[in-house]
Amino acid sequence: MEEQTELQKRDVLRLSNEETNRITRECIQSALVVLMSEKPFDKITVTEIVKKSGVSRTAFYRNFSSKEDILSNLSDQILGGITEMVLTAIQDVNPWKLYRDMFQLIQEQPKDFEVLLKAGLLQNEYVNVSAYLDKRYAGFPPMTRYAVLGWWGALHNILQDWYLRGMKESIEEMADFCCRIFENITEAGIQEPQPTKENRS
């Protein structure tokens, strides 16, 4: 049986132009992520992406200028989500639910997370948290910026290791753990620290 394309999986019928364009973009992005789990990014061609996604070449170039453009777009989506999560954690008096939900999402959708890991999407050169913050949040206070960088780097490693080791600890245990180790990071992001007597001299 022939493998379904990303577009066929969505069974698109009588959608508005806006909705059709959104689904087309999502199918193209999904196709690239799947292909990246199978081979290096520089070996993937637009023809393969078009075939995997099930959209026409015209539709591809109507939405993206190149495969690098797709990855850049995915990067902004991922990093936008990351930034919103860390700001929520910084501002929320109880970020425990946020952490629990993140671990629960991986636990409930392990195949999706595995594809992201195999594709190396979160470590890809186009996914650069520091550059993203410079581009989208230039007005961030320095300590908030460092909080985002530190939070994401540490959390990414924890999520990945927890998954690769078989998700043995409960999501509640992991949420408790993250609340403990990220407490200082989130507090540091709220405001600039005041100089102490030791470092004033």
Side-chain angles (χ1 to χ4, degrees), residues 98-164:
L98 171 71
Y99 295 125
R100 186 199 63 186
D101 289 349
M102 293 178 70
F103 284 98
Q104 185 173 359
L105 184 64
I106 294 173
Q107 190 179 65
E108 292 177 350
Q109 301 179 28
K111 290 184 179 179
D112 291 343
F113 190 70
E114 185 172 2
V115 167
L116 288 176
L117 290 180
K118 285 184 177 179
L121 191 57
L122 300 181
Q123 296 85 18
N124 192 277
E125 62 183 299
Y126 292 93
V127 183
N128 185 311
V129 178
S130 182
Y132 177 84
L133 292 176
D134 287 340
K135 180 171 65 174
R136 296 297 177 93
Y137 296 95
F140 266 7
M143 291 302 112
T144 300
R145 187 177 185 282
Y146 293 141
V148 175
L149 291 171
W151 181 88
W152 170 240
L155 183 60
H156 169 258
N157 286 330
I158 292 170
L159 289 168
Q160 177 173 294
D161 200 60
W162 177 72
Y163 170 79
L164 292 175

Side-chain angles (χ1 to χ4, degrees), residues 71-91:
L71 206 53
S72 177
N73 190 267
L74 279 169
S75 169
D76 277 3
Q77 289 179 23
I78 292 169
L79 294 174
I82 291 168
T83 304
E84 290 306 312
M85 282 189 288
V86 73
L87 289 178
T88 299
I90 289 171
Q91 297 166 359

